[in-house]
Amino acid sequence: METPALSGLARRIVQDQLVDQQTAGKASKQANLDKIPLITYLVQNKLASARDLAMVCAEEFGYPYVDLSVVDKEHQPHDLVSEKLIRQHNVLPLFKRGSRLYLAVSDPTNQQALSDIQFNTGLMTDAVMVEDDKLRSAIDKFLDSPTGGFGDMGDADLEDLEIQTGEEEKKEIAGTDADDAPIVRFVNKMLLDAVKMGSSDLHFEPYEKVYRVRFRTDGILHEVAKPPVQLGVRIAARLKVMSSMDMAERRKPQDGRIKMKISKNKAIDFRVNTLPTLWGEKVVLRILDSESAKLGIDALGYEDDQKEMYMSALARPQGMILVTGPTGSGKTVSLYTGLNILNTMERNISTAEDPVEINLEGINQVNVNPKQGLDFAQALRAFLRQDPDVIMVGEIRDLETAEIAIKAAQTGHMVMSTLHTNSAAETLTRLRNMGVPAFNIATSVNLIIAQRLARRLCKTCKKSADLPRDVLTEEGFTQAQIAAGLTIYEPVGCENCKDGYKGRVGIYEVVRITPAMQRIIMEDGNSIQISEVAQQEGFRTLRQSALMKAEQGVTSLAEVNRVTKD
């Protein structure tokens, strides 16, 4: 077979004996077919050393060579070249001197890169040769840094964000005509802004005369945009396209999912739901933050004794841990944190969720689908036939699920689940009201965590509040606390926060089921009796835990009252 004619660069590589002529010919042909630079093909297939190739290219084209590992990353210019151009041309801005921008390149034949970036920045561009593998790694780190990535995206980038559908198909969904482009940019900007603000939900809401967009940040909804009302239908259509919904269906609620790729190594998931309202479709997106499941138990806000009780319950080989609280109180993060602690090579862990919110490596996660006959009870039965160690049930909603979960907890399995109740004591009576025998509850439940999320006071601007002693006593503080010089802080508001608050902290009532409580349960005691025993055993209520956070200066009395009021 005839060897293809070699380009100037390939000839030089052969001449310097980095590869032989036949290998160079085949590599050139395959690189062309793959539409990647010859240098990249040689490095990726380990046909030649990245450093040797960079040195040869530098000499052949007269470019200086730099080892990227010694470059001062703090002084790299982050605001000159968009992510789109960096990815497209595989270049990295190194430093700026006067009106000249120096770019790290690994393919010296790509003169178009220098021209495009010179045109876009208005600066003269000079190439600096670097090793191909180090360049790709450096680009990923540069774009994922706090000052890089999506922080500096322009309108062009907002049109070309990579959106993956719920079926994980990779698509570039951009405006197909000039009329669509502003809608594409607006929706993508809303999604990016919500992620950057640390919001949990986005609400796109149509009304008769206005259309508004609100973000839920730190548990509170704030209005962020009011686009023209006539654009409402097109905004909803755009969101439905992104989440692979039926465009023609406007009379029924629909569920979908969006995966938005922000950079090579960073993607954000959104759970999407549409609801037909009087004036059009309201669309709500829940941001599913996989990083929140990896925070670690120390970041959640448990007091030391509460953390110790949770860790002790997780260490037991069997039994049930129940987490309770209203929607949006952080139950999922508490459960996932526990699952991550248990997630070792020696354990088989399965979860049944509706839906699976965050993917966890090493854990078998199942989306329940009642329409297809796969409900929580069915999933639990299947888990028990698959040699489980740990089972997590998204929610105990009925007697059948409760009975199977309790049976699993009694037969050598760790079971974790949630219920929608207000306190630990009410959780036990809820199970009893479902029809679960008192003896089974008393012998299977190990630990109950009731929780809420309160907004954290901004450390920069919070100030001490001058409150009379009788007010502090009325709120629940003891005379001993007040006499010890209790200082309560209140929100102010500054450029670093929202209304004086920044972030959230968990408020917990953690109750271990003791022999005294087991007796009350088996005597069919009500929630008031169970709560009284829990107090006698030394377990703090939600209110008491919240007051501790106020005493520590973490949150305000207003927040304590908001999240723990009856």
Side-chain angles (χ1 to χ4, degrees), residues 18 39 42 149 172 265 292 333 449 476 494 498 511:
L18 299 185
I39 299 297
L42 291 170
E172 290 284 343
N265 296 322
S292 65
V333 173
I449 300 170
C494 66
K498 183 77 175 174
V511 175

Side-chain angles (χ1 to χ4, degrees), residues 18 39-40 42-44 46-58 65-66 105-106 129-135:
L18 299 185
I39 299 297
T40 301
L42 291 170
V43 172
Q44 287 180 348
K46 296 182 171 57
L47 297 174
S49 156
R51 187 174 187 281
D52 291 345
L53 287 168
M55 298 291 282
V56 166
C57 291
Y65 165 80
V66 167
V105 303
S106 62
M129 284 305 306
V130 298
E131 294 157 53
D132 186 80
D133 49 358
K134 285 185 180 178
L135 175 59

Side-chain angles (χ1 to χ4, degrees), residues 409-558:
Q410 291 173 329
T411 54
H413 308 98
M414 170 58 67
V415 179
M416 305 173 74
S417 190
T418 70
L419 276 91
H420 285 284
T421 58
N422 291 325
S423 68
E426 288 175 39
T427 302
L428 295 167
T429 53
R430 172 67 62 84
L431 288 172
R432 191 73 187 92
N433 292 338
M434 279 184 184
V436 180
F439 176 79
N440 286 347
I441 298 171
T443 57
S444 60
V445 179
N446 292 342
L447 190 78
I448 302 174
I449 300 170
Q451 66 180 78
R452 303 289 188 275
L453 288 176
R455 290 182 291 173
R456 285 181 184 269
L457 283 166
C458 173
K459 294 178 182 178
T460 307
C461 66
K462 69 179 181 180
K463 69 172 185 178
S464 59
D466 186 16
L467 298 173
R469 288 178 69 99
D470 58 338
V471 171
L472 294 172
T473 304
E474 190 179 324
E475 290 290 349
F477 291 106
T478 65
Q479 292 300 321
Q481 287 174 307
I482 297 169
L486 176 68
T487 304
I488 299 298
Y489 292 88
E490 61 185 9
V492 177
C494 66
E495 60 183 13
N496 297 317
C497 66
K498 183 77 175 174
D499 301 329
Y501 297 98
K502 189 172 185 180
R504 290 192 286 179
V505 65
I507 308 290
Y508 303 95
E509 176 187 13
V510 182
V511 175
R512 186 178 66 251
I513 306 303
T514 63
M517 294 180 69
Q518 287 176 332
R519 280 195 298 275
I520 296 292
I521 294 166
M522 286 191 279
E523 291 168 4
D524 259 350
N526 59 35
S527 60
I528 296 172
Q529 292 171 304
I530 295 169
S531 184
E532 286 174 352
V533 173
Q535 287 280 285
Q536 291 165 12
E537 296 274 350
F539 301 120
R540 284 187 299 278
T541 63
L542 273 169
R543 176 76 183 181
Q544 290 167 339
S545 293
L547 289 173
M548 282 186 72
K549 289 289 188 285
E551 184 182 4
Q552 294 160 5
V554 175
T555 192
S556 67
L557 267 181

Side-chain angles (χ1 to χ4, degrees), residues 226-519:
K226 291 182 79 170
V229 67
Q230 62 268 27
L231 296 182
V233 172
R234 290 166 62 192
I235 291 171
R238 168 66 183 166
L239 288 164
K240 287 165 77 174
V241 168
M242 293 167 75
S243 48
S244 298
M245 293 183 187
D246 182 355
M247 293 292 294
E249 182 55 76
R250 296 183 184 178
R251 294 171 297 177
K252 293 181 183 177
Q254 294 189 66
D255 291 297
R257 203 174 177 106
I258 296 172
K259 192 179 191 73
M260 185 171 71
K261 199 166 184 184
I262 290 171
S263 67
K264 187 175 180 181
N265 296 322
K266 188 172 181 65
I268 300 291
D269 287 296
F270 299 83
R271 193 176 76 212
V272 189
N273 177 267
T274 65
L275 178 71
T277 68
L278 193 59
W279 304 106
E281 288 181 287
K282 172 174 177 174
V283 187
V284 176
L285 291 81
R286 163 66 58 91
I287 299 175
L288 308 177
D289 183 7
S290 59
E291 296 304 311
S292 65
K294 303 170 187 173
L295 284 175
I297 195 166
D298 292 324
L300 299 186
Y302 286 94
E303 302 298 338
D304 289 343
D305 59 333
Q306 295 175 333
K307 173 188 164 185
E308 180 59 38
M309 281 189 280
Y310 191 15
M311 296 295 288
S312 177
L314 288 169
R316 296 179 68 168
Q318 68 182 60
M320 182 178 285
I321 296 174
L322 295 173
V323 182
T324 181
T327 301
S329 59
K331 298 188 299 294
T332 301
V333 173
S334 280
L335 282 176
Y336 279 10
T337 301
L339 287 176
N340 269 328
I341 292 168
L342 294 171
N343 188 13
T344 63
M345 186 62 70
E346 295 78 29
R347 290 189 180 97
N348 175 24
I349 304 176
S350 296
T351 73
E353 302 169 63
D354 182 20
V356 172
E357 293 194 359
I358 298 170
N359 298 326
L360 296 176
E361 191 73 28
I363 292 176
N364 309 290
Q365 296 172 277
V366 174
N367 257 326
V368 298
N369 188 347
K371 291 180 182 177
Q372 301 298 321
L374 180 60
D375 56 15
F376 284 122
Q378 283 284 88
L380 269 174
R381 286 196 190 93
F383 291 165
L384 291 173
R385 293 193 289 270
Q386 294 226 328
D387 183 32
D389 295 301
V390 180
I391 294 170
M392 194 270 269
V393 190
E395 184 184 348
I396 294 177
R397 296 175 180 170
D398 52 55
L399 176 60
E400 185 181 17
T401 306
E403 285 181 334
I404 301 169
I406 281 174
K407 191 177 293 182
Q410 291 173 329
T411 54
H413 308 98
M414 170 58 67
V415 179
M416 305 173 74
S417 190
T418 70
L419 276 91
H420 285 284
T421 58
N422 291 325
S423 68
E426 288 175 39
T427 302
L428 295 167
T429 53
R430 172 67 62 84
L431 288 172
R432 191 73 187 92
N433 292 338
M434 279 184 184
V436 180
F439 176 79
N440 286 347
I441 298 171
T443 57
S444 60
V445 179
N446 292 342
L447 190 78
I448 302 174
I449 300 170
Q451 66 180 78
R452 303 289 188 275
L453 288 176
R455 290 182 291 173
R456 285 181 184 269
L457 283 166
C458 173
K459 294 178 182 178
T460 307
C461 66
K462 69 179 181 180
K463 69 172 185 178
S464 59
D466 186 16
L467 298 173
R469 288 178 69 99
D470 58 338
V471 171
L472 294 172
T473 304
E474 190 179 324
E475 290 290 349
F477 291 106
T478 65
Q479 292 300 321
Q481 287 174 307
I482 297 169
L486 176 68
T487 304
I488 299 298
Y489 292 88
E490 61 185 9
V492 177
C494 66
E495 60 183 13
N496 297 317
C497 66
K498 183 77 175 174
D499 301 329
Y501 297 98
K502 189 172 185 180
R504 290 192 286 179
V505 65
I507 308 290
Y508 303 95
E509 176 187 13
V510 182
V511 175
R512 186 178 66 251
I513 306 303
T514 63
M517 294 180 69
Q518 287 176 332
R519 280 195 298 275

Side-chain angles (χ1 to χ4, degrees), residues 171-204:
K171 289 185 178 181
E172 290 284 343
I173 305 176
T176 54
D177 56 48
D179 291 338
D180 284 338
I183 301 294
V184 172
R185 286 198 299 271
F186 174 76
V187 170
N188 287 349
K189 184 178 187 304
M190 289 295 99
L191 269 58
L192 287 170
D193 285 352
V195 171
K196 285 188 278 185
M197 287 173 64
S199 304
S200 60
D201 303 84
L202 299 82
H203 294 243
F204 293 83

